[in-house]
């Protein structure tokens, strides 16, 4: 017997890692996907890809940063297996920090908007008594470092929020809250960076993200060896950290 | 994200370029500025046809979505940055295969069209471009064009070396398969005459043919090699190859391989069966893409990089030009490990600048040893020239422009379709 149809709503669905997560999902089981993002044409292109691979897709184009948009109504009438939040932005830190508006915008994309979405999904999960909420954080959230502390701090905020939310939802054993922490991944976000051996392909990270979602892991480093690296970095004495270019 | 100054290399890594590189995630975000532009797929061309020093390079590999697939007819439409690797992992389980494939699957759909690549079934199926349907082309004036087969700009874009614009999406007619495996026969041959005889005998009954030739052999052994021929099998299941770790080569040398291990590999290969013929049942991956299993193998040639020399000489010239080429290579002591010999058939490609033409083609790698390598090439060129042969731009980093102009008769027709905002280091070199 084939597994039952899996219902997922994905925010920031057009991201490269989310795309690969969905391709892995669709390769494993029949799926009905609601693809949400800011750009109708791009969402349609993604939907065409996932439909070719066997999924049912609907798209919803809206400004994810606008709290006035009543997108929640599109989530009614379905029991959701997964809410996945993937949008994010890795800005040029130097430029951003010189402009208060840009700082606000980056925090909006990487922290405020995902948190608003997570907050809106929470009552749905409580009502369902089952389902998974997964958000992309980053290894950058594990310790603030000179190279990307603005981005890192927003991802650390996500981490703290999800840890509290997980606590609150612990009385619903069917509900899982998953923090996905990719390490350096070869996507448009990092296209300008030289590719060293620490880089993983988006396809691999997407596959591992899907495994973590299926298992309902609380925190998943993608790939898992990033746990070791970040553990080292977290425990590096400050005077040593300050001598690095990390 | 704004364009970044980056250094990009081709597969041979001899003349890397520094360019403003954009890596758009979507076809709608491709932009042009005042500087000349060029698309870059996975950089599997050996020379400088995928490079544009000081220009604006548009890396396409994130444009990798399948736009439509008809499971009954096998017509695929996809964005141009999808790799053949990705297409195969999608279509093989559904019982479909590429109409033809080059020796690596780490090339993009757009790159395969722009070089009008060929495979082991050229004598049956022609080039990649023979199977390409509509093409979506974006020109540097930001105009978008839907090119249909038979239209002049379609024929110019097939094999058009990226100079007619950016292909954003294209249709490809896939072929049905019953199994992911092939029934393969290996036949030893002792010289080029024997090679040509086996080729002729095989062309009717074998869909895929190629030969491996021992370039270090001389004297009586000159031109000895193994003829490899295969047909799709009826048995073996429809499992695709496993995913590669990272299709993009990482930016530092990889010393896992050295000359010694490849040399040993070759000897094993040559001695791998007793007697004259041997039959094996083989998955398509080792059959079509043997080198893809060895990540970053090209690094064995070291910092100075390497050339590939690929030419075709017409059948009318017979085996002698190739014999002469093999003699010159053996005498130079610069023989490469990987020498591939194949006959092209007479299925004409629509491409105006397509390389394959009826005859014998030889492709082999040479470590870059500077002047001595180029000297040898000039001697080989003389032989190819007097046989009225030609060279493959996808592999080239040094051909004489006069040979290009002499041997591509549709070049003037092609020039009408050039996008004035596009260029490449290859094109500049031809017109220097
Ligand atoms: C191990 C190996 C084996 C090979 N075997 C064969 C073989 O058997 N037969 C064969 O024919 N070739 C063979 N090749 C060569 C290879 O197939 C071609 O060079 C191929 O075109 C490379 O594709 P790419 O995506 O890497 O393109 P690139 O090398 O990045 O670019 C190639 C050309 O295509 C253009 N281009 C790329 N994308 C687009 C686009 N979207 N729109 C417009 N133009 C574009 C570029 O501007 C450039 O001119 C082999 C190469 C290797 C490394
Ligand atoms: N790549 C890495 O190395 C890496 C490492 C750790 C964590 N991550 C995290 O993983 C997630 C996915 O990253 P990725 O590399 O796959 O990214 P990506 O391919 O660059 O995609 C970024 C996504 O964010 C969306 N986005 C950006 N700005 C937006 C805005 N203002 N409003 C709405 N959407 C916006 C984009 O939408 P459009 O398509 O409309 O532009 C796109 O869907 C992100 O949260 C990222 O922070 C990535």
């Amino acid at each position: 017997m084939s597994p039952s149809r899996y219902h997922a709503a994905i925010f920031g669905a057009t991201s490269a890692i989310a795309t690969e997560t969905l391709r892995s999902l669709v390769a494993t089981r029949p799926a009905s996907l609601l693809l949400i993002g800011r750009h109708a044409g791009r969402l349609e292109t993604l939907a065409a890809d996932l439909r070719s691979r066997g999924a049912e897709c609907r798209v919803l184009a809206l400004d994810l940063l606008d709290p006035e948009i009543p997108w929640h109504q599109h989530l009614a009438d379905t029991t959701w297996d997964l809410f996945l939040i993937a949008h994010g932005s890795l800005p040029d830190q130097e430029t951003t920090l010189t402009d208060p508006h840009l700082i606000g915008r980056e925090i909006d994309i990487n922290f405020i908007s995902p948190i608003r979405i997570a907050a809106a999904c929470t009552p749905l999960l409580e009502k369902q008594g089952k389902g998974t909420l997964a958000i992309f954080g980053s290894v950058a959230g594990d310790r603030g470092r000179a190279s990307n502390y603005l981005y890192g701090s927003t991802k650390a905020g996500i981490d703290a929020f999800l840890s509290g939310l997980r606590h609150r939802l612990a009385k619903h054993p069917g509900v899982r809250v998953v923090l996905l922490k990719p390490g350096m991944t070869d996507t448009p976000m990092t296209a300008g960076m030289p590719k060293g051996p620490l880089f993983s392909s988006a396809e691999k990270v997407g596959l591992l993200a899907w495994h973590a979602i299926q298992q309902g892991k609380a925190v998943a480093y993608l790939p898992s060896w990033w746990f070791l690296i970040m553990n080292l970095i977290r425990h590096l004495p400050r005077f040593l950290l300050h001598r690095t270019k990390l | 994200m704004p364009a970044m100054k980056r250094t990009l290399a081709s597969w041979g890594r001899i003349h890397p370029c520094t360019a403003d590189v954009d890596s758009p995630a979507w076809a709608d975000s491709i932009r042009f500025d005042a500087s000349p532009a060029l698309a870059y797929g996975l950089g599997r061309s050996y020379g400088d046809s995928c490079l544009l020093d000081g220009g604006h390079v548009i890396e396409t590999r994130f444009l990798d979505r399948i736009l439509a697939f008809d499971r009954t007819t096998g017509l695929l439409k996809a964005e141009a940055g999808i790799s053949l690797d990705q297409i195969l992992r999608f279509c093989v389980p559904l019982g479909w295969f590429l109409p033809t494939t080059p020796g690596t699957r780490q090339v993009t759909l757009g790159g395969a069209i722009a070089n009008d690549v060929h495979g082991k079934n050229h004598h049956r199926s022609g080039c990649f471009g023979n199977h390409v349907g509509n093409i979506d082309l974006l020109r540097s004036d930001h105009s978008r064009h839907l090119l249909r087969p038979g239209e002049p700009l379609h024929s110019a874009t097939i094999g058009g070396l990226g100079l007619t614009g950016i292909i954003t999406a294209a249709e490809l007619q896939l072929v049905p398969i019953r199994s992911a495996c092939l029934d393969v026969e290996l036949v030893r041959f002792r010289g080029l005459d024997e090679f040509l005889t086996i080729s002729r005998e095989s062309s009717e009954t074998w869909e895929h043919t190629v030969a491996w030739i021992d370039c270090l052999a001389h004297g009586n052994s000159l031109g000895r090699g193994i003829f490899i021929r295969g047909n799709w099998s009826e048995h073996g299941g429809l499992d695709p190859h496993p995913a590669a770790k990272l299709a993009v080569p990482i930016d530092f040398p990889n010393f896992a391989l050295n000359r010694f291990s490849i040399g040993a590999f070759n000897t094993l290969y040559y001695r791998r069966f007793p007697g004259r013929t041997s039959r094996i049942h083989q998955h398509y991956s080792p059959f079509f893409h043997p080198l893809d299993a060895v990540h970053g193998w090209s690094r064995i040639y070291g910092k100075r990089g390497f050339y590939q020399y690929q030419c075709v000489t017409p059948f009318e010239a017979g085996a002698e030009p190739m014999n002469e080429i093999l003699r010159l290579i053996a005498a130079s002591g610069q023989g490469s490990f990987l020498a591939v010999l194949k006959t092209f058939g007479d299925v004409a490609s629509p491409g105006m600048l397509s390389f394959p033409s009826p005859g014998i083609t030889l492709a082999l790698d040479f470590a870059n040893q500077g002047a001595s390598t180029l000297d040898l090439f000039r001697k080989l060129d003389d032989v190819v020239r007097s046989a009225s042969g030609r060279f493959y731009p996808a592999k080239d980093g040094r051909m004489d422009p006069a040979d290009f102009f002499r041997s591509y008769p549709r070049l003037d027709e092609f020039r009408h379709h050039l996008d004035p905002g596009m260029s490449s280091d290859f094109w500049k070199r031809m017109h220097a």
Side-chain angles (χ1 to χ4, degrees):
Chain A
M1 206 188 78
S2 66
S4 60
R5 191 163 281 282
Y6 191 89
H7 291 270
I10 305 92
F11 301 82
T14 52
S15 102
I17 298 177
T19 298
E20 292 295 351
T21 309
L22 296 176
R23 285 174 176 166
S24 290
L25 187 174
V26 166
T28 351
R29 54 189 297 181
S32 244
L33 308 175
L34 177 60
L35 309 173
I36 308 166
R38 57 177 165 172
H39 203 296
R42 295 177 185 179
L43 290 165
E44 279 303 342
T45 301
L46 174 63
D49 181 272
L50 295 168
R51 281 183 194 125
S52 307
R53 297 168 197 271
E56 276 175 10
C57 298
R58 282 183 300 144
V59 311
L60 181 56
L62 49 87
D63 181 355
L64 294 174
L65 308 192
D66 183 348
E68 305 297 334
I69 296 179
W71 50 266
H72 323 78
Q73 64 202 40
H74 297 273
L75 300 184
D77 307 326
T78 304
T79 303
W80 296 97
D81 295 289
L82 171 68
F83 299 112
L84 175 64
I85 307 175
H87 54 289
S89 154
L90 178 62
D92 178 66
Q93 184 167 273
E94 280 315 295
T95 330
T96 310
L97 288 177
T98 58
D99 179 338
H101 295 285
L102 278 184
I103 294 175
R105 184 170 167 81
E106 289 304 325
I107 296 175
D108 220 358
I109 299 172
N110 285 327
F111 182 69
I112 298 178
S113 145
I115 296 302
R116 280 200 186 110
I117 295 167
C121 294
T122 305
L124 298 176
L125 289 165
E126 283 176 324
K127 202 166 127 215
Q128 294 182 175
K130 60 176 189 178
T132 300
L133 170 72
I135 310 189
F136 281 98
S138 168
V139 295
D142 281 14
R143 185 170 191 184
R145 284 166 287 121
S147 60
N148 64 359
Y149 56 94
L150 174 61
Y151 174 80
S153 61
T154 62
K155 294 296 190 183
I158 300 256
D159 195 340
F161 183 89
L162 286 193
S163 149
L165 183 61
R166 200 177 294 118
H167 186 179
R168 164 174 165 179
L169 292 174
K171 55 179 172 291
H172 302 277
V175 175
R176 297 303 179 101
V177 175
V178 177
L179 175 60
L180 302 163
K181 289 195 193 186
M184 288 190 283
T185 310
D186 177 29
T187 75
M189 186 177 273
T190 56
M193 298 183 187
K195 301 289 174 300
L198 292 182
F199 267 84
S200 304
S201 69
E203 182 176 342
K204 177 163 183 193
V205 171
L207 175 69
L208 296 173
W210 169 235
H211 288 166
I213 289 167
Q214 279 176 297
Q215 292 161 11
K217 272 196 181 172
V219 178
Y221 286 83
L222 311 173
S224 54
W225 44 261
W226 274 100
F227 172 73
L228 299 174
I229 297 185
M230 294 321 297
N231 213 26
L232 262 174
I233 292 183
R234 256 196 320 268
H235 293 108
L236 203 62
R238 205 174 290 132
F239 78 94
L240 280 179
L241 178 76
H242 291 179
R243 287 182 196 182
T244 70
K245 284 201 175 136
L246 288 170
Chain B
M1 196 182 272
M4 300 256 193
K5 271 255 178 301
R6 268 169 62 196
T7 300
L8 283 177
S10 67
W11 198 239
R13 287 180 300 115
I14 293 187
H15 298 293
C17 76
T18 303
D20 285 324
V21 183
D22 269 327
S23 307
W26 301 92
D28 67 43
S29 54
I30 299 174
R31 44 160 216 101
F32 297 93
D33 51 28
S35 39
L38 184 71
Y40 181 93
L42 285 168
R44 258 46 176 199
S45 297
Y46 282 71
D48 51 3
S49 64
C50 58
L51 304 178
L52 180 56
D53 197 43
H56 174 203
V57 171
I58 295 156
E59 190 187 28
T60 62
R61 66 194 175 90
F62 294 121
L63 309 174
D64 71 348
R65 295 136 196 127
I66 292 168
L67 301 175
F69 182 61
D70 185 327
R71 295 187 184 211
T72 52
T73 64
L75 186 69
L76 174 84
K77 180 172 186 191
E79 291 187 305
I82 193 172
S83 66
L84 301 189
D85 184 290
Q86 289 170 298
I87 293 178
L88 286 173
R89 282 188 287 129
F90 169 73
C91 69
V92 167
L94 302 173
W96 296 91
F97 203 80
L98 297 164
T100 189
T101 171
T104 172
R105 53 183 177 255
Q106 298 303 343
V107 309
T108 63
L109 175 61
I113 296 172
N115 274 326
D116 198 13
V117 300
H118 57 268
K120 293 179 160 94
N121 59 352
H122 183 273
H123 60 287
R124 289 282 193 86
S125 306
C127 293
F128 199 83
N130 290 85
H131 310 276
V132 172
N134 293 343
I135 296 176
D136 293 348
L137 188 75
L138 173 64
R139 304 268 282 184
S140 65
D141 59 5
H142 289 97
S143 61
R144 291 181 185 269
H145 304 257
L146 178 69
L147 314 180
R148 294 181 183 79
E151 293 176 2
L153 188 51
H154 188 273
S155 307
T157 299
I158 290 174
L161 301 171
L163 300 168
T164 63
I166 308 271
I167 302 166
T168 55
E171 291 176 345
L172 184 67
Q173 180 59 55
L174 304 182
V175 296
I177 50 170
R178 304 274 290 272
S179 140
C181 295
L182 296 104
D183 296 312
V184 180
E185 220 172 82
L186 308 173
V187 186
R188 252 191 249 279
F189 61 86
R190 270 166 316 203
L192 284 187
D193 290 322
E194 210 174 308
F195 161 79
L196 284 173
T197 311
I198 303 174
S199 264
R200 228 173 290 122
E201 287 167 7
S202 308
S203 66
E204 290 289 308
T205 42
W206 295 91
E207 187 175 346
H208 305 280
T209 67
V210 73
W212 174 88
I213 189 155
D214 182 354
C215 275
L216 304 178
H218 46 259
N220 276 344
S221 309
L222 186 82
R224 75 167 179 193
I226 296 174
F227 196 91
I228 302 163
R229 51 195 187 190
N231 281 324
W232 283 109
S233 181
E234 298 283 313
H235 319 283
L238 287 167
D239 292 327
H241 64 275
K245 284 211 184 78
L246 195 63
V248 207
I250 47 179
D251 301 332
F252 75 102
N254 175 340
F255 296 109
L257 277 169
N258 54 38
R259 281 181 94 93
F260 176 75
S261 56
I262 283 279
F265 169 80
N266 257 11
T267 311
L268 277 178
Y269 195 93
Y270 192 68
R271 305 230 174 274
R272 77 189 203 191
F273 58 92
R276 181 164 180 264
T277 39
S278 151
R279 285 194 186 85
I280 52 177
H281 188 67
Q282 202 176 26
H283 190 261
Y284 70 80
S285 180
F287 181 76
F288 287 119
H289 313 124
L291 288 170
D292 284 358
V294 195
H295 186 69
W297 60 266
S298 66
R299 304 278 174 179
I300 56 167
Y301 291 104
K303 268 213 168 87
R304 299 181 71 187
F306 67 110
Y307 290 101
Q308 183 166 99
Y309 192 88
Q310 181 167 6
C311 60
V312 56
T313 56
F315 283 123
E316 298 86 72
E320 197 33 41
M322 283 301 170
N323 268 327
E324 179 60 17
I325 288 174
L326 291 178
R327 271 194 292 272
L328 288 166
I329 294 170
S332 77
Q334 296 194 41
S336 66
F337 319 118
L338 306 159
V340 175
L341 198 64
K342 158 139 193 82
T343 52
F344 286 141
D346 51 15
V347 182
S349 167
M352 292 180 188
L353 296 188
S354 288
F355 162 68
S357 57
I360 315 173
T361 182
L362 177 78
L364 61 155
D365 295 349
F366 290 86
N368 175 21
Q369 298 175 14
S372 68
T373 309
L374 294 173
D375 280 348
L376 171 65
F377 289 167
R378 273 188 287 274
K379 289 185 198 144
L380 305 181
D381 290 354
D382 288 338
V383 181
V384 175
R385 199 172 294 132
S386 41
S388 304
R390 65 182 177 197
F391 308 102
Y392 189 8
K395 308 288 180 73
D396 179 68
R398 37 67 55 197
M399 84 164 97
D400 183 339
D403 281 319
F404 185 55
F405 300 143
R406 166 187 61 76
S407 62
Y408 283 86
R410 295 179 74 183
L411 196 53
D412 286 333
E413 186 186 354
F414 173 77
R415 288 183 200 279
H416 294 296
H417 303 288
L418 272 175
D419 182 325
M422 317 278 306
S423 187
S424 70
D425 286 348
F426 171 82
W427 193 248
K428 287 192 284 182
R429 184 160 55 80
M430 287 303 103
H431 296 85

